[in-house]
Amino acid sequence: MKKVIVIGSGFSSLSAACYLAKHGFEVSIFEKNTTVGGRARQLVKQGFTFDIGPSWYWMPDIFEKFFADFNKKTSDYYQLEKLDPAYKIFFEDDVLTIGDTMDKICEEFERIEEGSSVHLRKFIRKAQDNYNIAINKIVLKPGLSPLELVTKETVLRVDQFFKSISQEVRKKFKNPKLISTLEFPVLFLGAKPSKTPSFYSFMNYADFGLGTWHPKGGMYEIIKAMENLAVELGVTIHTDHPVEKIEVDNGKATAIVSRGNRYEGDIIISGADYHHSETLLDKKYRQYSEEYWDNKTYAPSSLLFYVGFNKKMRQVEHHNLFFDTSFDLHSEEIYDRPQWPSEPLFYANFPSVSDTSMAPEGCETGFFLIPIAPGLEDTPELRQQYFDIIIDRFELRTGQSVKNSILFKESFCVNDFVEQYNSYKGNAYGMANTLAQTAFLRPNLKSKKVENLYFTGQLTVPGPGVPPSLISGKLVSELTIKKLAP
Ligand SMILES: Cc1cc2nc3c(=O)[nH]c(=O)nc-3n(C[C@H](O)[C@H](O)[C@H](O)COP(=O)(O)OP(=O)(O)OC[C@H]3O[C@@H](n4cnc5c(N)ncnc54)[C@H](O)[C@@H]3O)c2cc1C
């Protein structure tokens, strides 16, 4: 039986492992941390449950398709609920509520800007077409050739690859709050909306058209489901096994070394951060130079806080965005002039608002995220300074005092991303999807220098986010299966 070694146990690695085990290969996962899940691990403390990384469950169709490939359904493993409202956005002088249907969202848009719902419906219809093309035609290609992007549908939409989502949105909407609301979804792709092609408006369809969902028990339920599926399929999982080296013999990857032991494989796939994965090779086998990595645009890093509150919050929903300071200034301080933000925007997540299993009775589980430039200095003092800033703003905008209700708080920032995931410059969610970093222009799924060596995950194709990571695992498994075909 052919042996496949998979490095890492994030969504992409688990996905690849499941497909390859289903195909009949002997698959072993080697994960450096003591639990699986990568950036999507879980923190449980004093009865509070926190998702350490992802918290937005978008594109439910992609999860359904993944499990359907194994004749399963998501409901075989976890219970999904569509959130209503999907989320709230706090501005300086108003709060927007995004409901769970287009009708509700249109009503809210009309309240802010008369006549905007007509434009919104048109915009979302176009976004839906883009979604269907992106999901059914583009992202399922491995990014090996520019020709993959040339389809009759993309040729007809070529202008959308050269205009930014910001330009598109500003053509139809004038109110800055609506503009920020429509620019928010592409932040998941890791770049400024002014640098993201308007074709990516398919993220707006994911947002308003498909909705925001919550797996009961939190996002870690998906990881548990995939771990169970992998084990059912015969995958062996070694946690607490950092890979120290990828061995190459005669131009072919042959084995890995972990904790001083050597494990042979016919194929090696790394789902660890791409830059780090290449450092496991001797220099002559690395495809990309340090300058290459340094010149890329990364998705932001983040300063995160996991807070146990001993009371229920008022005025908040499960997902809350605090866009009460300048979106443009904060983006500039992430991408153009990397520095700690002068007036940070932030995101606050209270999963216990809709799921009582996430916190002890009468308490609230709070997760706060400030996006920041990768590679910034990270000290305990800076973390505390920014916690104070956002908690003050949170109290002001929601009209309640919460500081005296904090039972504990944990934080996570650049140094933790580096130390826990070997993340390049402490990026939180990989390499941004700009035009120059799309499809075949991203770091490749297949090594160009070492035979039998492959890569998967948010730094390669198709890009950042949980659904793309599931797809990345599938794409790399298809290449591997082709390679090992008799
Ligand atoms: C704070 C945050 C919020 C996010 N929010 C969302 C969201 O709401 N919705 C969404 O869809 N996406 C979100 N994302 C993005 C999403 O979580 C990621 O895109 C996805 O989890 C990446 O999966 P991956 O498999 O590429 O990598 P990872 O999850 O990083 O997995 C890589 C694994 O490799 C392991 N590893 C590294 N080096 C070695 C080594 N030498 N040996 C063995 N193992 C090694 C790491 O420990 C890790 O487990 C968020 C990410 C973060 C960080």
Side-chain angles (χ1 to χ4, degrees):
M1 198 191 281
K2 297 281 187 197
K3 284 189 187 167
V4 180
I5 288 177
V6 178
I7 305 174
S9 67
F11 280 107
S12 61
S13 294
L14 287 170
S15 163
C18 288
Y19 283 107
L20 292 165
K22 182 188 165 204
H23 193 76
F25 298 141
E26 188 182 319
V27 184
S28 309
I29 286 180
F30 290 81
E31 164 57 51
K32 78 180 265 295
N33 292 324
T34 51
T35 53
V36 298
R39 279 153 162 96
R41 284 171 312 139
Q42 189 181 56
L43 167 71
V44 179
K45 189 166 175 176
Q46 295 178 26
F48 294 81
T49 303
F50 302 88
D51 282 309
I52 291 182
S55 54
W56 297 77
Y57 191 105
W58 275 12
M59 306 186 183
D61 51 330
I62 307 277
F63 294 88
E64 230 38 86
K65 277 185 194 154
F66 171 79
F67 285 101
D69 283 342
F70 303 91
N71 297 320
K72 305 274 189 193
K73 299 186 288 301
T74 52
S75 58
D76 293 334
Y77 295 98
Y78 54 87
Q79 206 185 317
L80 276 174
E81 185 203 347
K82 191 174 189 189
L83 296 178
D84 181 28
Y87 55 97
K88 244 181 177 179
I89 311 182
F90 291 81
F91 293 99
E92 206 175 349
D93 57 353
D94 201 356
V95 180
L96 249 79
T97 302
I98 304 299
D100 64 340
T101 62
M102 269 308 284
D103 286 346
K104 289 184 197 167
I105 300 168
C106 282
E107 213 172 289
E108 188 68 336
F109 266 58
E110 280 297 320
R111 181 177 72 80
I112 305 286
E113 186 175 310
E114 218 185 301
S116 61
S117 67
V118 179
H119 296 306
L120 182 65
R121 285 192 195 276
K122 264 198 217 149
F123 179 76
I124 294 296
R125 266 199 299 275
K126 190 166 161 186
Q128 181 173 7
D129 289 343
N130 289 355
Y131 187 85
N132 291 333
I133 297 163
I135 300 306
N136 298 322
K137 308 254 165 155
I138 299 181
V139 297
L140 297 176
K141 307 239 173 95
L144 300 180
S145 146
L147 293 177
E148 290 172 9
L149 287 183
V150 185
T151 68
K152 74 176 185 295
E153 292 84 359
T154 50
V155 166
L156 287 172
R157 287 168 178 78
V158 77
D159 60 314
Q160 292 189 42
F161 287 90
F162 295 97
K163 268 188 306 192
S164 74
I165 190 93
S166 287
Q167 288 167 309
E168 176 86 2
V169 165
R170 281 170 170 74
K171 256 194 330 205
K172 300 286 179 213
F173 303 91
K174 297 289 164 256
N175 186 291
K177 294 180 194 115
L178 299 189
I179 291 173
S180 298
T181 305
L182 290 169
E183 286 183 343
F184 150 66
V186 299
L187 298 182
F188 282 109
L189 304 170
K192 277 166 91 167
S194 59
K195 291 273 172 8
T196 306
S198 73
F199 181 76
Y200 285 97
S201 68
F202 66 74
M203 291 297 287
N204 293 95
Y205 175 69
D207 179 1
F208 289 179
L210 297 174
T212 301
W213 299 74
H214 171 71
K216 189 166 187 301
M219 296 291 278
Y220 199 64
E221 292 302 310
I222 321 165
I223 290 289
K224 284 197 219 157
M226 291 177 72
E227 181 187 15
N228 287 340
L229 177 64
V231 171
E232 280 168 42
L233 292 163
V235 176
T236 308
I237 301 178
H238 305 265
T239 49
D240 204 8
H241 270 73
V243 173
E244 291 128 24
K245 187 163 179 52
I246 299 173
E247 285 189 1
V248 179
D249 185 18
N250 236 340
K252 287 185 182 163
T254 51
I256 54 137
V257 177
S258 175
R259 296 172 145 249
N261 294 316
R262 196 170 168 273
Y263 300 85
E264 289 184 354
D266 297 288
I267 294 274
I268 317 279
I269 299 175
S270 181
D273 273 39
Y274 208 122
H275 172 270
H276 166 73
S277 302
E278 288 228 308
T279 65
L280 301 174
L281 292 161
D282 286 343
K283 245 189 174 152
K284 62 179 173 189
Y285 295 124
R286 299 178 193 168
Q287 309 163 82
Y288 305 107
S289 64
E290 286 301 321
E291 294 74 55
Y292 169 91
W293 292 111
D294 196 37
N295 287 329
K296 292 288 164 191
T297 305
Y298 291 89
S301 185
S302 300
L303 170 55
L304 297 144
F305 297 101
Y306 312 102
V307 189
F309 291 100
N310 67 8
K311 68 170 184 184
K312 297 302 281 180
M313 299 287 124
R314 285 186 289 107
Q315 309 295 345
V316 297
E317 298 296 341
H318 187 124
H319 296 287
N320 309 272
L321 300 168
F322 288 79
F323 285 0
D324 51 331
T325 55
S326 167
F327 197 94
D328 291 342
L329 177 63
H330 193 155
S331 304
E332 272 171 43
E333 289 170 341
I334 293 175
Y335 297 103
D336 307 332
R337 292 176 284 112
Q339 59 185 287
W340 278 89
S342 329
E343 294 182 319
L345 302 158
F346 64 98
Y347 157 59
N349 170 256
F350 300 101
S352 45
V353 165
S354 55
D355 180 349
T356 52
S357 74
M358 305 287 292
E361 207 183 329
C363 297
E364 212 84 270
T365 292
F367 162 110
F368 297 83
L369 181 155
I370 307 173
I372 56 168
L376 292 186
E377 183 195 15
D378 168 17
T379 64
E381 294 73 28
L382 277 162
R383 294 186 187 195
Q384 185 59 42
Q385 182 188 331
Y386 277 85
F387 184 72
D388 293 341
I389 292 174
I390 63 169
I391 281 295
D392 281 344
R393 289 240 310 281
F394 179 82
E395 291 190 333
L396 176 71
R397 298 291 167 227
T398 62
Q400 64 195 314
S401 76
V402 299
K403 276 182 224 150
N404 293 333
S405 307
I406 295 175
L407 292 174
F408 63 86
K409 94 167 185 297
E410 302 275 340
S411 66
F412 198 98
C413 196
V414 174
N415 293 348
D416 302 297
F417 280 106
V418 175
E419 191 251 314
Q420 300 212 14
Y421 310 127
N422 289 318
S423 158
Y424 183 70
K425 294 191 183 177
N427 78 76
Y429 55 106
M431 191 182 274
N433 263 128
T434 58
L435 186 58
Q437 295 181 176
T438 288
F440 66 99
L441 297 169
R442 294 179 73 75
N444 227 277
L445 286 169
K446 182 177 180 313
S447 169
K448 288 174 256 172
K449 288 203 172 169
V450 179
E451 224 184 300
N452 300 343
L453 176 62
Y454 294 81
F455 302 87
T456 185
Q458 58 182 359
L459 279 111
T460 171
V461 176
V466 175
S469 297
L470 296 181
I471 292 170
S472 188
K474 181 175 186 172
L475 291 172
V476 83
S477 74
E478 286 167 355
L479 294 180
T480 310
I481 290 166
K482 222 192 245 171
K483 170 78 185 165
L484 289 181

